[in-house]
Amino acid sequence: MSSTNLTQDNSTAVVEKWVEVAGDSIPYLTAGDSGHKALLVHGAGSSRSTWKDIIPVLAKDNSVYAPDLIGFGDTPRWDIPHTLEYMSECLVGFMDTVGIDKAILVGHSLGGRVCLEVALRHPERVGGLVLEAPMGFGKVAWMGRLFSHARLLVHRVLGMKSPYPRLRFRRVEDDLPRFAEVGCDTLILWGTKDPYFPLEQSRVALDVIPRSRLSVYSGLGHSLHGSDPARFSADVGAFLAERV
């Protein structure tokens, strides 16, 4: 394991560390040493750095961890299908390695769907869910598909590594009934201008996840933590504070 201090404020110092999980080197950011353990999981084509403005705020009262999902960021990328099962088990392996028995999972987009998979497969490891515009409750809107294809094209033209590994998911309609089995309190956050997953999908999520509630961000898009980090941090912090 290696680590690097990324901030000057020792009270909520954000430290970058690397650990070996099943033979793969996984980088993560961490801060705080009190309260609940919160695990922040980024979306597709992103990395741990997307949480840089959120971690210090949540770390004032909690222990916060933000790893790269397998296949993204600085993790190894194997030429295999990255299924929800594979990514969720890698995330649980990360929890095992850093000594997290139980955490509140905060996931954005694909990361939200991976967090849901962990909650379904390992409910004893999850003390609550915060789902920020999660994948899994409807199809990607045409504008979101356009953005994704454009990003892939730019990477190809510039000879850059693809932002995505080989992804393979089940059909949404096959997954929806499973979400009724989620047994923990769940906070759903969604923007009214989300170009990837339209707001109406938030109502689907609210209907199928039993102990869920919804907070809508008027005028914002897909990345709420990037567009309004103050409100996002306050909402997630309040949810963490409610947990026993």
Side-chain angles (χ1 to χ4, degrees):
M1 178 188 295
S2 60
S3 64
T4 304
N5 192 335
L6 302 182
T7 65
Q8 300 299 317
D9 182 359
N10 289 330
S11 64
T12 56
V14 179
V15 178
E16 182 178 74
K17 296 184 178 183
W18 292 73
V19 293
E20 292 289 322
V21 179
D24 293 327
S25 294
I26 307 295
Y28 68 102
L29 302 178
T30 185
D33 59 1
S34 63
H36 294 289
K37 294 185 185 298
L39 186 58
L40 312 184
V41 187
H42 63 79
S46 189
S47 71
R48 63 198 183 280
S49 64
T50 192
W51 303 112
K52 61 182 175 61
D53 295 326
I54 307 301
I55 296 171
V57 181
L58 297 182
K60 293 175 182 177
D61 300 301
N62 304 279
S63 302
V64 185
Y65 304 78
D68 279 353
L69 269 176
I70 191 69
F72 295 97
D74 294 317
T75 66
R77 180 178 294 180
W78 305 111
D79 188 21
I80 60 173
H82 284 57
T83 63
L84 293 168
E85 292 83 358
Y86 172 55
M87 289 186 285
S88 65
E89 291 305 316
C90 287
L91 192 60
V92 172
F94 170 81
M95 294 173 67
D96 291 339
T97 302
V98 299
I100 301 175
D101 293 328
K102 190 172 187 176
I104 294 162
L105 306 186
V106 180
H108 175 226
S109 196
L110 170 62
R113 182 62 188 85
V114 173
C115 290
L116 271 167
E117 196 67 21
V118 173
L120 290 168
R121 296 168 68 88
H122 303 278
E124 75 285 356
R125 307 297 296 272
V126 181
L129 286 171
V130 179
L131 305 177
E132 178 191 358
M135 184 187 85
F137 297 93
K139 295 181 178 179
V140 180
W142 70 267
M143 188 175 294
R145 293 197 301 271
L146 180 62
F147 288 161
S148 297
H149 288 312
R151 187 176 185 186
L152 280 170
L153 180 60
V154 168
H155 277 68
R156 286 177 186 148
V157 169
L158 298 178
M160 299 167 59
K161 177 182 175 181
S162 171
Y164 314 111
R166 288 175 55 197
L167 297 169
R168 182 183 296 169
F169 305 130
R170 294 181 297 271
R171 298 188 307 168
V172 169
E173 52 266 37
D174 293 336
D175 262 354
L176 282 177
R178 300 176 63 227
F179 300 143
E181 301 171 15
V182 175
C184 60
D185 291 338
T186 302
L187 172 64
I188 302 166
L189 307 175
W190 222 291
T192 60
K193 302 295 185 181
D194 193 321
Y196 290 90
F197 303 125
L199 182 63
E200 53 262 30
Q201 294 186 20
S202 70
R203 306 296 175 182
V204 178
L206 190 64
D207 285 343
V208 300
I209 300 175
R211 291 160 51 187
S212 62
R213 67 180 191 261
L214 172 66
S215 181
V216 175
Y217 286 56
S218 180
L220 297 190
H222 190 53
S223 179
L224 307 176
H225 67 275
S227 299
D228 194 345
R231 178 181 171 184
F232 181 89
S233 298
D235 285 346
V236 176
F239 182 80
L240 290 167
E242 292 171 6
R243 312 278 68 77
V244 177

